[in-house]
Structures are given as C-alpha cells and as structure tokens.
Short mmCIF file of all heavy atoms in Angstrom, two decimals:
data_model
loop_
_atom_site.label_atom_id
_atom_site.label_comp_id
_atom_site.label_asym_id
_atom_site.label_seq_id
_atom_site.Cartn_x
_atom_site.Cartn_y
_atom_site.Cartn_z
N LEU A 1 -159.48 10.02 35.84
CA LEU A 1 -160.21 10.66 34.76
C LEU A 1 -161.18 9.70 34.09
O LEU A 1 -160.95 8.49 34.04
CB LEU A 1 -159.22 11.21 33.72
CG LEU A 1 -158.17 12.18 34.25
CD1 LEU A 1 -157.29 12.66 33.10
CD2 LEU A 1 -158.81 13.36 34.97
N ALA A 2 -162.26 10.25 33.57
CA ALA A 2 -163.25 9.44 32.85
C ALA A 2 -162.68 9.03 31.50
O ALA A 2 -162.25 9.89 30.72
CB ALA A 2 -164.54 10.23 32.66
N ASN A 3 -162.66 7.75 31.24
CA ASN A 3 -162.17 7.26 29.94
C ASN A 3 -162.78 5.89 29.68
O ASN A 3 -163.54 5.35 30.49
CB ASN A 3 -160.64 7.20 29.91
CG ASN A 3 -160.07 6.40 31.06
OD1 ASN A 3 -160.42 5.24 31.26
ND2 ASN A 3 -159.18 7.02 31.84
N GLU A 4 -162.44 5.30 28.55
CA GLU A 4 -163.07 4.05 28.14
C GLU A 4 -162.69 2.87 29.04
O GLU A 4 -163.37 1.85 29.03
CB GLU A 4 -162.71 3.74 26.69
CG GLU A 4 -163.34 4.71 25.70
CD GLU A 4 -163.06 4.34 24.25
OE1 GLU A 4 -163.75 3.46 23.71
OE2 GLU A 4 -162.13 4.95 23.68
N SER A 5 -161.62 3.01 29.83
CA SER A 5 -161.21 1.91 30.70
C SER A 5 -162.20 1.67 31.84
O SER A 5 -162.21 0.60 32.44
CB SER A 5 -159.82 2.17 31.28
OG SER A 5 -159.84 3.25 32.20
N ILE A 6 -163.03 2.67 32.17
CA ILE A 6 -164.01 2.51 33.25
C ILE A 6 -165.43 2.61 32.73
O ILE A 6 -166.35 2.95 33.47
CB ILE A 6 -163.77 3.53 34.38
CG1 ILE A 6 -163.86 4.96 33.85
CG2 ILE A 6 -162.45 3.29 35.08
CD1 ILE A 6 -163.88 6.00 34.96
N THR A 7 -165.65 2.35 31.45
CA THR A 7 -166.99 2.42 30.87
C THR A 7 -167.47 1.04 30.45
O THR A 7 -166.69 0.10 30.29
CB THR A 7 -167.02 3.33 29.62
OG1 THR A 7 -166.21 2.74 28.60
CG2 THR A 7 -166.53 4.72 29.94
N LYS A 8 -168.79 0.96 30.25
CA LYS A 8 -169.38 -0.23 29.63
C LYS A 8 -169.53 0.09 28.14
O LYS A 8 -170.54 0.62 27.70
CB LYS A 8 -170.74 -0.54 30.26
CG LYS A 8 -170.67 -1.03 31.68
CD LYS A 8 -172.06 -1.30 32.25
CE LYS A 8 -172.76 -2.43 31.55
NZ LYS A 8 -174.06 -2.75 32.17
N SER A 9 -168.49 -0.22 27.38
CA SER A 9 -168.49 0.13 25.96
C SER A 9 -169.50 -0.71 25.18
O SER A 9 -169.94 -0.32 24.10
CB SER A 9 -167.09 -0.05 25.37
OG SER A 9 -166.63 -1.37 25.58
N GLU A 10 -169.89 -1.87 25.74
CA GLU A 10 -170.84 -2.73 25.05
C GLU A 10 -172.29 -2.30 25.27
O GLU A 10 -173.22 -2.86 24.67
CB GLU A 10 -170.66 -4.18 25.51
CG GLU A 10 -171.17 -4.50 26.90
CD GLU A 10 -170.21 -4.11 28.01
OE1 GLU A 10 -169.18 -3.46 27.70
OE2 GLU A 10 -170.48 -4.45 29.18
N PHE A 11 -172.51 -1.32 26.12
CA PHE A 11 -173.86 -0.84 26.42
C PHE A 11 -174.45 -0.20 25.17
O PHE A 11 -173.88 0.74 24.61
CB PHE A 11 -173.81 0.18 27.56
CG PHE A 11 -175.16 0.62 28.05
CD1 PHE A 11 -175.78 -0.02 29.11
CD2 PHE A 11 -175.82 1.67 27.45
CE1 PHE A 11 -177.02 0.38 29.57
CE2 PHE A 11 -177.07 2.09 27.89
CZ PHE A 11 -177.67 1.44 28.95
N LYS A 12 -175.61 -0.70 24.74
CA LYS A 12 -176.23 -0.20 23.51
C LYS A 12 -177.17 0.97 23.80
O LYS A 12 -178.15 0.80 24.54
CB LYS A 12 -176.99 -1.32 22.81
CG LYS A 12 -176.09 -2.45 22.29
CD LYS A 12 -176.91 -3.51 21.57
CE LYS A 12 -176.00 -4.62 21.04
NZ LYS A 12 -176.79 -5.67 20.35
N PRO A 13 -176.91 2.13 23.24
CA PRO A 13 -177.80 3.28 23.43
C PRO A 13 -179.06 3.11 22.58
O PRO A 13 -179.15 2.20 21.74
CB PRO A 13 -176.96 4.46 22.94
CG PRO A 13 -176.09 3.85 21.89
CD PRO A 13 -175.76 2.46 22.37
N LEU A 14 -180.03 3.98 22.81
CA LEU A 14 -181.25 3.97 22.00
C LEU A 14 -180.97 4.54 20.62
O LEU A 14 -180.06 5.34 20.43
CB LEU A 14 -182.35 4.79 22.68
CG LEU A 14 -182.82 4.33 24.06
CD1 LEU A 14 -183.89 5.27 24.58
CD2 LEU A 14 -183.32 2.90 24.02
N ARG A 15 -181.83 4.14 19.67
CA ARG A 15 -181.80 4.70 18.32
C ARG A 15 -183.17 5.29 18.00
O ARG A 15 -184.16 4.95 18.64
CB ARG A 15 -181.43 3.62 17.30
CG ARG A 15 -180.04 3.04 17.52
CD ARG A 15 -179.66 2.10 16.40
NE ARG A 15 -178.30 1.59 16.55
CZ ARG A 15 -177.65 0.89 15.64
NH1 ARG A 15 -178.27 0.59 14.48
NH2 ARG A 15 -176.42 0.49 15.85
N GLY A 16 -183.21 6.13 17.00
CA GLY A 16 -184.46 6.78 16.65
C GLY A 16 -185.56 5.83 16.24
O GLY A 16 -186.75 6.13 16.37
N THR A 17 -185.21 4.64 15.76
CA THR A 17 -186.19 3.66 15.30
C THR A 17 -186.73 2.77 16.41
O THR A 17 -187.65 1.99 16.19
CB THR A 17 -185.56 2.77 14.21
OG1 THR A 17 -184.35 2.19 14.72
CG2 THR A 17 -185.26 3.58 12.96
N ASP A 18 -186.18 2.87 17.61
CA ASP A 18 -186.67 2.07 18.73
C ASP A 18 -188.09 2.50 19.10
O ASP A 18 -188.40 3.71 19.13
CB ASP A 18 -185.76 2.21 19.95
CG ASP A 18 -184.42 1.54 19.75
OD1 ASP A 18 -184.36 0.57 18.97
OD2 ASP A 18 -183.43 1.98 20.36
N THR A 19 -188.96 1.54 19.40
CA THR A 19 -190.32 1.86 19.79
C THR A 19 -190.40 2.20 21.28
O THR A 19 -189.52 1.82 22.06
CB THR A 19 -191.26 0.69 19.51
OG1 THR A 19 -190.90 -0.42 20.34
CG2 THR A 19 -191.22 0.29 18.04
N VAL A 20 -191.47 2.89 21.64
CA VAL A 20 -191.68 3.25 23.04
C VAL A 20 -191.81 2.00 23.89
O VAL A 20 -191.29 1.94 25.01
CB VAL A 20 -192.93 4.15 23.17
CG1 VAL A 20 -193.36 4.27 24.63
CG2 VAL A 20 -192.65 5.53 22.58
N ALA A 21 -192.47 0.96 23.36
CA ALA A 21 -192.61 -0.29 24.10
C ALA A 21 -191.23 -0.89 24.40
O ALA A 21 -190.97 -1.37 25.51
CB ALA A 21 -193.47 -1.28 23.31
N ALA A 22 -190.35 -0.86 23.41
CA ALA A 22 -189.00 -1.40 23.58
C ALA A 22 -188.20 -0.58 24.59
O ALA A 22 -187.42 -1.14 25.37
CB ALA A 22 -188.28 -1.44 22.24
N VAL A 23 -188.39 0.74 24.57
CA VAL A 23 -187.68 1.61 25.51
C VAL A 23 -188.13 1.34 26.94
O VAL A 23 -187.30 1.25 27.85
CB VAL A 23 -187.90 3.10 25.15
CG1 VAL A 23 -187.27 3.99 26.21
CG2 VAL A 23 -187.31 3.41 23.79
N ARG A 24 -189.44 1.19 27.12
CA ARG A 24 -189.95 0.88 28.47
C ARG A 24 -189.35 -0.43 28.98
O ARG A 24 -188.93 -0.53 30.13
CB ARG A 24 -191.47 0.77 28.43
CG ARG A 24 -192.23 2.08 28.31
CD ARG A 24 -193.68 1.89 28.71
NE ARG A 24 -194.47 3.10 28.49
CZ ARG A 24 -195.27 3.29 27.46
NH1 ARG A 24 -195.39 2.36 26.53
NH2 ARG A 24 -195.94 4.42 27.34
N GLU A 25 -189.32 -1.44 28.12
CA GLU A 25 -188.78 -2.73 28.51
C GLU A 25 -187.29 -2.63 28.82
O GLU A 25 -186.78 -3.23 29.77
CB GLU A 25 -189.00 -3.75 27.40
CG GLU A 25 -188.57 -5.17 27.74
CD GLU A 25 -189.31 -5.76 28.92
OE1 GLU A 25 -190.47 -5.35 29.16
OE2 GLU A 25 -188.73 -6.62 29.60
N ARG A 26 -186.58 -1.84 28.02
CA ARG A 26 -185.14 -1.67 28.23
C ARG A 26 -184.86 -0.98 29.55
O ARG A 26 -183.95 -1.38 30.30
CB ARG A 26 -184.57 -0.84 27.06
CG ARG A 26 -183.08 -0.57 27.15
CD ARG A 26 -182.25 -1.77 26.77
NE ARG A 26 -180.84 -1.50 26.96
CZ ARG A 26 -180.09 -0.77 26.13
NH1 ARG A 26 -180.62 -0.24 25.03
NH2 ARG A 26 -178.81 -0.58 26.39
N MET A 27 -185.64 0.04 29.88
CA MET A 27 -185.45 0.74 31.15
C MET A 27 -185.73 -0.18 32.33
O MET A 27 -185.05 -0.13 33.36
CB MET A 27 -186.34 1.98 31.22
CG MET A 27 -185.89 3.11 30.32
SD MET A 27 -186.94 4.58 30.49
CE MET A 27 -186.08 5.74 29.41
N LYS A 28 -186.72 -1.04 32.17
CA LYS A 28 -187.04 -2.00 33.22
C LYS A 28 -185.90 -2.98 33.41
O LYS A 28 -185.51 -3.29 34.54
CB LYS A 28 -188.33 -2.74 32.87
CG LYS A 28 -188.80 -3.72 33.93
CD LYS A 28 -190.11 -4.38 33.53
CE LYS A 28 -190.57 -5.38 34.59
NZ LYS A 28 -191.84 -6.05 34.18
N GLU A 29 -185.33 -3.46 32.31
CA GLU A 29 -184.23 -4.42 32.38
C GLU A 29 -182.98 -3.79 33.00
O GLU A 29 -182.30 -4.41 33.82
CB GLU A 29 -183.89 -4.93 30.98
CG GLU A 29 -184.95 -5.84 30.36
CD GLU A 29 -184.60 -6.23 28.95
OE1 GLU A 29 -183.55 -5.77 28.44
OE2 GLU A 29 -185.37 -6.99 28.34
N GLU A 30 -182.68 -2.56 32.59
CA GLU A 30 -181.47 -1.88 33.06
C GLU A 30 -181.66 -1.22 34.42
O GLU A 30 -180.70 -0.77 35.04
CB GLU A 30 -181.02 -0.82 32.05
CG GLU A 30 -180.73 -1.35 30.64
CD GLU A 30 -179.43 -2.12 30.58
OE1 GLU A 30 -178.69 -2.15 31.58
OE2 GLU A 30 -179.15 -2.70 29.52
N GLN A 31 -182.93 -1.11 34.88
CA GLN A 31 -183.27 -0.45 36.14
C GLN A 31 -182.78 0.99 36.16
O GLN A 31 -182.12 1.44 37.09
CB GLN A 31 -182.70 -1.24 37.33
CG GLN A 31 -183.27 -2.64 37.45
CD GLN A 31 -182.76 -3.39 38.67
OE1 GLN A 31 -181.65 -3.15 39.15
NE2 GLN A 31 -183.56 -4.30 39.21
N VAL A 32 -183.13 1.71 35.08
CA VAL A 32 -182.77 3.12 34.95
C VAL A 32 -184.01 3.92 34.57
O VAL A 32 -185.02 3.36 34.14
CB VAL A 32 -181.66 3.34 33.89
CG1 VAL A 32 -180.39 2.62 34.29
CG2 VAL A 32 -182.12 2.85 32.51
N THR A 33 -183.93 5.23 34.71
CA THR A 33 -185.05 6.10 34.35
C THR A 33 -184.71 7.02 33.18
O THR A 33 -185.52 7.86 32.81
CB THR A 33 -185.46 6.96 35.56
OG1 THR A 33 -184.33 7.71 36.01
CG2 THR A 33 -185.97 6.08 36.69
N ALA A 34 -183.52 6.86 32.60
CA ALA A 34 -183.12 7.66 31.44
C ALA A 34 -182.11 6.86 30.61
O ALA A 34 -181.26 6.17 31.17
CB ALA A 34 -182.52 9.00 31.86
N LEU A 35 -182.22 6.98 29.29
CA LEU A 35 -181.31 6.29 28.39
C LEU A 35 -180.84 7.25 27.29
O LEU A 35 -181.63 8.06 26.78
CB LEU A 35 -181.98 5.08 27.75
CG LEU A 35 -182.19 3.85 28.64
CD1 LEU A 35 -183.09 2.84 27.95
CD2 LEU A 35 -180.85 3.21 29.01
N PRO A 36 -179.57 7.17 26.90
CA PRO A 36 -179.05 8.04 25.84
C PRO A 36 -179.52 7.59 24.46
O PRO A 36 -179.77 6.41 24.24
CB PRO A 36 -177.53 7.89 25.98
CG PRO A 36 -177.36 6.52 26.56
CD PRO A 36 -178.52 6.30 27.47
N VAL A 37 -179.61 8.56 23.55
CA VAL A 37 -180.00 8.28 22.16
C VAL A 37 -178.83 8.68 21.26
O VAL A 37 -178.29 9.79 21.37
CB VAL A 37 -181.26 9.07 21.75
CG1 VAL A 37 -181.68 8.68 20.34
CG2 VAL A 37 -182.39 8.81 22.74
N VAL A 38 -178.45 7.77 20.37
CA VAL A 38 -177.31 7.98 19.49
C VAL A 38 -177.73 7.85 18.03
O VAL A 38 -178.55 6.99 17.69
CB VAL A 38 -176.19 6.97 19.81
CG1 VAL A 38 -175.10 6.97 18.74
CG2 VAL A 38 -175.58 7.27 21.17
N ASP A 39 -177.19 8.70 17.17
CA ASP A 39 -177.38 8.58 15.73
C ASP A 39 -176.56 7.38 15.25
O ASP A 39 -175.33 7.39 15.38
CB ASP A 39 -176.92 9.86 15.03
CG ASP A 39 -177.19 9.85 13.54
OD1 ASP A 39 -176.91 8.82 12.88
OD2 ASP A 39 -177.65 10.88 13.02
N PRO A 40 -177.19 6.35 14.68
CA PRO A 40 -176.45 5.14 14.31
C PRO A 40 -175.44 5.35 13.19
O PRO A 40 -174.50 4.58 13.04
CB PRO A 40 -177.56 4.18 13.87
CG PRO A 40 -178.69 5.05 13.47
CD PRO A 40 -178.62 6.24 14.39
N THR A 41 -175.63 6.41 12.40
CA THR A 41 -174.71 6.68 11.28
C THR A 41 -173.45 7.37 11.74
O THR A 41 -172.33 6.97 11.41
CB THR A 41 -175.40 7.53 10.20
OG1 THR A 41 -176.58 6.87 9.75
CG2 THR A 41 -174.46 7.78 9.02
N THR A 42 -173.62 8.42 12.56
CA THR A 42 -172.48 9.22 12.99
C THR A 42 -171.94 8.80 14.36
O THR A 42 -170.85 9.21 14.75
CB THR A 42 -172.87 10.70 13.07
OG1 THR A 42 -173.90 10.87 14.06
CG2 THR A 42 -173.38 11.19 11.71
N GLN A 43 -172.75 8.02 15.10
CA GLN A 43 -172.42 7.64 16.48
C GLN A 43 -172.34 8.85 17.41
O GLN A 43 -171.71 8.80 18.47
CB GLN A 43 -171.12 6.84 16.56
CG GLN A 43 -171.22 5.44 15.97
CD GLN A 43 -172.27 4.60 16.69
OE1 GLN A 43 -172.20 4.40 17.90
NE2 GLN A 43 -173.25 4.11 15.95
N LYS A 44 -173.02 9.94 17.01
CA LYS A 44 -173.07 11.13 17.85
C LYS A 44 -174.21 10.99 18.87
O LYS A 44 -175.28 10.46 18.56
CB LYS A 44 -173.31 12.38 17.01
CG LYS A 44 -172.26 12.63 15.93
CD LYS A 44 -170.91 12.97 16.49
CE LYS A 44 -169.94 13.34 15.38
NZ LYS A 44 -168.57 13.58 15.88
#
C-alpha cells in the first residue's frame, strides 16, 4: 500500500509565491514535467 514509508517526505512542493523562473529551474533539476502545489498554511 502507498504510505509514508515509500515516499520522499522531504520533497518540497511548489507554493503560490514561487516564480515561473524558479519553477522552470526546479523542473529541470528534478527532471520532471509536473510539480504539485501546496497551500503552505493548511498543507493541502
């Protein structure tokens, strides 16, 4: 089953204040084409 034991809990999601330039750089570093966005207050 999917649970925290097989996740990268230290992986930092995007926030609303992140710039497009920073997102592009982050995608390049992570070698991904999509990143999750989380509300920093609620962690939703």
Side-chain angles (χ1 to χ4, degrees):
L1 304 181
N3 54 55
E4 292 184 81
S5 69
I6 59 170
T7 65
K8 290 179 66 175
S9 56
E10 73 279 7
F11 187 93
K12 294 182 179 179
L14 299 180
R15 298 186 177 189
T17 54
D18 290 332
T19 65
V20 167
V23 174
R24 286 197 185 101
E25 185 61 27
R26 179 76 184 283
M27 288 183 176
K28 183 178 179 181
E29 290 176 358
E30 301 286 353
Q31 298 183 332
V32 298
T33 57
L35 286 169
V37 184
V38 169
D39 185 315
T41 303
T42 63
Q43 290 300 303
K44 302 293 186 184

